[in-house]
Amino acid sequence: MVDVKLWAGLVPLADNQQTVTVEAGTVRELLRQLGDRYPGLREPIKNEVAVVMDGTIYRNDWSVELPENAEVFLIRRLAGG
Amino acid sequence: MNFDPTYRSQKFRSVGTRPRRPDGIDKVTGRARYGADFNMPGQLVGRILRSPHAHARIVRIDTARAEAVKGVKAIVTASDLPDLTNGNQSLFNILDNCMARSKVLYDGHAVAAVAAIDANAAKQALKLIEVEYEVLPHVVDVDAAMLPDAPLIDKTLFTGGVEPTPETPSNVALRSEFGHGDIESGFAQADIVVERSYRTEQTHQGYIEPHACVASCNSDGTAELWVCTQGHFVFRQTCADLLGLDVSKLRVTSSEIGGGFGGKTHVWVEPVALALSRKAGRPVKLVMSREEVFRASGPTSATSIDVKIGARKDGTITAAAANLRYTNGPYADIWAELGAMTSFACYDLENVKTVGFEVLVNRPKVAAYRAPSAPMAAFAVESTIDELAQELGMDPVEFRIQNAASEGTKSSYGPVYGPIGIGPTLEAAQSHPHVKAPLGPNQGRGMACGFWFNFGGQTCTDLNVNVDGTVTLAVGTVDVGGSRASLSLIAAEELGIAYEDVKAVVADTATLGYNDMTDGSRGTFSSSMATISAARNAIGVMRHRAALQWDIPVEDVTWEDGNAKASGEKYGNLSPLSIKEIAAASGNTGGPIAGHSEMVADGAGVSFATHICDVEVDPETGSTRIVRYTVIQDAGKAVHPAYVEGQYQGGAAQGIGWALNEEYIYGEDGRLQNPGFLDYRIPVCSDLPMIDTQILEIPNPNHPYGVRGVGETSIVPPLAAIANAISNAVGIRMTHIPMSPPRILAALNRERNQ
């Protein structure tokens, strides 16, 4: 089980939950479950989110495995210069 | 593809050296081909007609007289760029920005474009295009735009991120909030609270090369685009989407790039050039003038920021808060949100809250500018931190060390940090001779910290071993900061050959798989990971070829120092086969030798820097001279240290210009008054001292060599470091960037008259 914390912009799309618990082994499974449970999240998950796992930001690699007790945070996909 | 990006400690032979840059000769002799240096047979000259109004409805456009001008081959307006965006708001905004549809939203917004046989005919035609405007009230100031009675840029816009959604429209597109703890309780625990409001004016990236492209659409539906860009694959996708082209039929080649700094991550004229070419049936070259670059490409935000920080007498920060208002231009984006995320990222805070407001104004669409949005937030926060240290009677470095984030700190933007480098940069500053050097009359010293996220992205690389044993490396990330040299070093290191035997090129979109842009400090980070992977794949092929030559099992062949070696005593008589020998025999051992890699390079790791600055302020004129400047930043592993130093120095130089002089100045009519380098002053060599650098190397655990991105973080601390230095020099807290001579003189005169 993983506790996924959502950035404030996603909270209204997830029945106002700031933290959602899912059973997932990879980032892909995690995002799929979030989308299944809260359809409003499907659109931002497509291209607006990045996943922070134990402090490291992942923008594309949804195959990354979620370590036991990992801290997982969904943040806005960032722009850079 | 199985590639393990985990860091492995190793001794380097090529990485860490400083060979000559492969693009140097071409650039200093003028042979390098930039955006405007490409030509095609039958090419036409493109020019764009731009709005003289900050905000107006387009009532009518009549191009008949212009079309009659001899030599004019095509004129396009919004009707030639139909809306194919299918409800995608951000794509529609790009389309509307490239060519205004129902309204012009800023001074310089494109309304029509001409392609003609020469510049004279094009200019003559522009003058004959009749545009009838209904001028509307405008607003360019960020705080004024938030007032209830402000002119509305978009009457259908209701502020997002607030519950319940407002019932009336406004120019505030989005509210975002970050933080944790209870700031009211935190401030109640504070012995001293400092609260200030700050402003920063809009600045441009100031790249020396204006936007330029040559577009050629053919009657069979194929098209070519030669363009100065930070991301030709992204440009291909955007242009194909906007013009309804098949992605495979649009071939985009990136030119050399005379600076980008985020401003060339976005299309401005390229879809227009393609539309002109499609209509004219001939190639079209479109080059922006410097005035057009200022008026109609993407500068950074102007901001208005309130900061409040409280601390106990022992130097522990108890609470920190910031409200950040960022201009977005006329289209909503997330610039204030980035400022809100980065504001307090350097610190370990129990109670913190930041709120960002995206504000629409009648200015050009904001684009990324090197660590976008972070420098302004750092200016406000680091100025307040400095003032708080003074109020506490603490050394500013020591105060920051005491409150610095470290591994396990819950960041102000949410996640808990892994291993990070803010502490080491501060400790290096504390022991740097710069902080102990004496200061002269009218001089002051300041320091500041900065943070940026960094990221990686989709990356594809080909490595070809030629028959003479030299190597051609084809990458898809545009070289904006010397990555061809760095990637050649990486390939040489991995293969065990000389740097001079590797030639890196940036491949076009038809010859390599998709690559994300060069942004987020990702060029060397991402493409080096892909290069290592491609080289290891090529080594696998060469081991196989050597095994064939020797007629032994491939498992018995190892790769060492550029040679295949047969392992085991039974092969004692076999001399190693060099890469040259294996390449020479390749025609009879299976054909060409290559290594390919496609990957997502993720795990870039966040980045921190600490800057120290000495200034001298002339009390008679308010003019500031930078006396000494030191940049300390973690590079993970500096692949080509001279380039890393160049990035550190470049970021500091741009920050110095931003801090002291650069500023978009609008008249009452909402028109930009200084769209040129005479009136918008960027630093020149004589304005700057030699900028000292100190490279820290704390390996990134998510890269095989420990590499981190280094391109952006160095622009984050300068505004604050210089503001702190000037404030210390003149004894007045400076809260408005740029701290130009008139602004400093006004502050000095106010103080003298009190």
Side-chain angles (χ1 to χ4, degrees):
Chain A
M1 302 292 273
V2 182
D3 290 338
V4 186
K5 293 166 188 158
L6 307 180
W7 100 76
L10 295 182
V11 170
L13 305 174
D15 289 348
N16 291 316
Q17 301 296 306
Q18 292 182 346
T19 304
V20 180
T21 304
V22 296
E23 180 91 42
T26 65
V27 170
R28 184 172 292 102
E29 288 173 21
L30 179 155
L31 294 175
R32 188 182 298 137
Q33 286 193 35
L34 283 177
D36 288 348
R37 198 178 306 175
Y38 305 108
L41 289 177
R42 287 179 189 162
E43 200 56 35
I45 282 174
K46 274 187 195 167
N47 55 15
E48 291 178 25
V49 303
V51 180
V52 187
M53 205 163 57
D54 290 335
T56 300
I57 299 170
Y58 293 86
R59 296 202 325 158
N60 294 93
D61 192 353
W62 291 172
S63 298
V64 172
E65 292 183 4
L66 301 172
E68 197 73 21
N69 301 319
E71 193 220 33
V72 180
F73 221 108
L74 258 56
I75 65 167
R76 175 84 79 173
R77 189 179 165 88
L78 306 164
Chain B
M1 185 209 68
N2 293 316
F3 176 72
D4 180 8
T6 308
Y7 170 69
R8 300 265 187 270
S9 178
Q10 62 179 292
K11 284 191 173 176
F12 293 108
R13 192 171 64 174
S14 297
V15 166
T17 62
R18 299 169 180 248
R20 284 185 183 170
R21 53 193 301 168
D23 50 335
I25 297 286
D26 280 353
K27 285 182 174 171
V28 298
T29 57
R31 288 195 184 91
R33 292 200 303 169
Y34 290 89
D37 293 330
F38 186 74
N39 295 294
M40 294 181 79
Q43 172 183 294
L44 302 173
V45 175
R47 288 281 190 278
I48 293 182
L49 183 68
R50 299 187 178 279
S51 166
H53 304 293
H55 195 194
R57 194 175 318 284
I58 300 171
V59 178
R60 181 180 65 90
I61 301 180
D62 187 344
T63 60
R65 289 175 65 209
E67 284 165 12
V69 172
K70 191 178 178 187
V72 169
K73 299 297 180 186
I75 296 179
V76 300
T77 62
S79 62
D80 296 286
L81 285 158
D83 180 7
L84 307 175
T85 60
N86 198 25
N88 181 331
Q89 186 63 49
S90 63
L91 194 60
F92 178 81
N93 290 347
I94 294 171
L95 176 69
D96 190 60
N97 188 53
C98 286
M99 190 62 74
R101 306 184 82 75
S102 57
K103 286 207 301 180
V104 290
L105 299 170
Y106 56 91
D107 166 42
H109 200 163
V111 292
V114 174
I117 56 169
D118 58 34
N120 282 341
K123 283 182 194 168
Q124 194 185 344
L126 286 189
K127 286 179 186 169
L128 294 174
I129 296 174
E130 295 171 20
V131 185
E132 185 183 336
Y133 294 101
E134 176 195 344
V135 176
L136 301 169
H138 67 272
V139 61
V140 296
D141 180 81
V142 61
D143 289 327
M146 293 180 73
L147 295 174
D149 59 349
L152 289 176
I153 315 297
D154 179 353
K155 288 182 178 171
T156 67
L157 183 76
F158 296 83
T159 307
V162 290
E163 292 287 340
T165 302
E167 293 180 352
T168 55
S170 83
N171 291 323
V172 181
L174 181 68
R175 178 189 184 278
S176 55
E177 181 178 327
F178 298 89
H180 54 259
D182 177 350
I183 56 164
E184 294 312 320
S185 153
F187 283 122
Q189 297 167 41
D191 295 313
I192 297 174
V193 175
V194 173
E195 191 170 7
R196 286 266 187 197
S197 294
Y198 303 87
R199 287 182 68 91
T200 68
E201 296 302 330
Q202 187 156 37
T203 58
H204 195 274
Q205 298 87 347
Y207 31 81
I208 298 305
E209 185 193 7
H211 299 272
C213 67
V214 178
S216 179
C217 288
N218 300 325
S219 54
D220 64 358
T222 62
E224 288 184 67
L225 182 68
W226 163 277
V227 62
C228 177
T229 172
Q230 287 177 245
H232 44 321
F233 291 90
V234 174
F235 273 36
R236 176 183 64 170
Q237 186 67 51
T238 304
C239 290
D241 287 346
L242 293 181
L243 282 109
L245 300 169
D246 290 345
V247 170
S248 63
K249 292 181 180 169
L250 174 58
R251 182 180 190 176
V252 182
T253 305
S254 64
S255 69
E256 288 287 351
I257 182 169
F261 315 111
K264 289 173 183 166
T265 59
H266 198 289
V267 297
W268 310 104
V269 297
E270 297 78 8
V272 178
L274 284 162
L276 281 170
S277 174
R278 182 165 63 182
K279 196 165 183 179
R282 285 168 64 171
V284 174
K285 179 187 279 192
L286 223 169
V287 181
M288 283 178 111
S289 67
R290 180 60 58 185
E291 179 180 325
E292 287 180 294
V293 170
F294 274 111
R295 289 172 70 203
S297 64
T300 189
S301 304
T303 72
S304 169
I305 303 172
D306 309 320
V307 177
K308 182 178 178 184
I309 307 177
R312 283 197 293 268
K313 284 178 182 166
D314 67 1
T316 306
I317 296 175
T318 58
N323 277 324
L324 306 100
R325 300 167 291 275
Y326 280 47
T327 63
N328 280 217
Y331 307 105
D333 216 312
I334 59 163
W335 305 115
E337 188 165 345
L338 288 177
M341 291 175 83
T342 58
S343 302
F344 292 107
C346 292
Y347 298 104
D348 183 0
L349 302 169
E350 202 169 316
N351 306 293
V352 58
K353 179 181 175 182
T354 59
V355 180
F357 297 94
E358 315 295 347
V359 185
L360 303 198
V361 292
N362 294 113
R363 295 179 181 233
K365 175 183 166 69
V366 166
Y369 179 11
R370 208 168 188 166
S373 302
M376 305 84 119
F379 159 61
V381 167
E382 290 292 293
S383 294
T384 311
I385 290 274
D386 221 56
E387 192 170 352
L388 191 52
Q390 286 174 355
E391 296 266 340
L392 290 162
M394 287 185 71
D395 173 77
V397 182
E398 184 56 42
F399 181 52
R400 285 173 171 86
I401 288 175
Q402 187 173 331
N403 292 285
S406 58
E407 187 170 359
T409 293
K410 183 174 176 56
S411 69
S412 57
Y413 59 91
V416 172
Y417 286 125
I420 55 172
I422 179 68
T425 68
L426 280 165
E427 283 148 20
Q430 196 172 37
S431 57
H432 197 284
H434 187 160
V435 296
K436 298 175 188 71
L439 288 167
N442 299 316
Q443 293 186 353
R445 176 167 299 141
M447 56 84 56
C449 300
F451 161 89
W452 182 242
F453 294 100
N454 288 352
F455 49 77
Q458 299 181 67
T459 312
C460 185
T461 296
D462 271 340
L463 186 149
N464 290 296
V465 180
N466 305 308
V467 288
D468 63 355
T470 62
V471 167
T472 306
L473 180 65
V475 301
T477 46
V478 172
D479 179 358
V480 301
S483 58
R484 277 169 295 186
S486 301
L487 299 174
S488 297
L489 283 169
I490 294 268
E493 184 73 50
E494 199 63 33
L495 294 168
I497 61 177
Y499 164 81
E500 291 76 15
D501 286 341
V502 183
K503 174 72 175 173
V505 298
V506 179
D508 67 56
T509 59
T511 51
L512 201 60
Y514 176 85
N515 279 261
D516 283 333
M517 290 182 289
T518 301
D519 66 344
S521 302
R522 84 172 207 98
T524 295
F525 168 78
S526 300
S527 279
S528 68
M529 211 187 284
T531 297
I532 291 169
S533 171
R536 289 179 184 175
N537 290 336
I539 287 170
V541 174
M542 288 189 284
R543 284 178 52 233
H544 176 69
R545 301 296 177 85
L548 282 176
Q549 283 182 254
W550 282 324
D551 197 20
I552 66 174
V554 68
E555 294 77 23
D556 290 349
V557 181
T558 59
W559 190 263
E560 291 174 42
D561 300 329
N563 294 287
K565 292 183 179 173
S567 60
E569 289 184 7
K570 59 183 172 179
Y571 304 125
N573 292 330
L574 290 176
S575 298
L577 280 173
S578 70
I579 190 168
K580 290 187 191 304
E581 290 169 310
I582 296 169
S586 61
N588 300 110
T589 59
I593 297 170
H596 178 77
S597 172
E598 72 270 341
M599 63 164 55
V600 165
D602 244 334
V606 296
S607 170
F608 295 88
T610 296
H611 291 199
I612 313 163
C613 173
D614 295 351
V615 300
E616 183 173 314
V617 180
D618 182 340
E620 300 300 318
T621 64
S623 173
T624 300
R625 183 171 66 89
I626 305 293
V627 178
R628 185 172 180 180
Y629 203 102
T630 302
V631 177
I632 304 164
Q633 189 177 319
D634 176 21
K637 175 65 194 174
V639 178
H640 190 304
Y643 273 116
V644 173
E645 290 161 0
Q647 290 291 336
Y648 290 4
Q649 291 164 330
Q654 281 189 309
I656 288 168
W658 192 342
L660 295 182
N661 283 300
E662 295 179 37
E663 173 176 13
Y664 267 47
I665 298 169
Y666 280 91
E668 289 294 317
D669 57 1
R671 300 193 66 181
L672 183 61
Q673 295 191 329
N674 59 335
F677 280 141
L678 281 178
D679 299 314
Y680 179 100
R681 192 174 184 285
I682 63 171
V684 296
C685 286
S686 55
D687 291 323
L688 301 172
M690 183 64 191
I691 294 165
D692 295 329
T693 58
Q694 184 175 348
I695 301 172
L696 305 185
E697 293 189 326
I698 303 162
N700 177 2
N702 301 311
H703 186 283
Y705 292 0
V707 171
R708 294 179 196 276
V710 295
E712 293 175 286
T713 310
S714 55
I715 203 173
V716 182
L719 312 192
I722 296 162
N724 289 336
I726 293 176
S727 300
N728 290 333
V730 300
I732 305 167
R733 176 54 54 180
M734 300 303 295
T735 58
H736 194 162
I737 296 279
M739 296 166 290
S740 55
R743 211 163 266 144
I744 290 179
L745 203 54
L748 289 170
N749 287 336
R750 272 198 303 274
E751 189 79 358
R752 287 166 187 153
N753 295 333
Q754 273 181 2

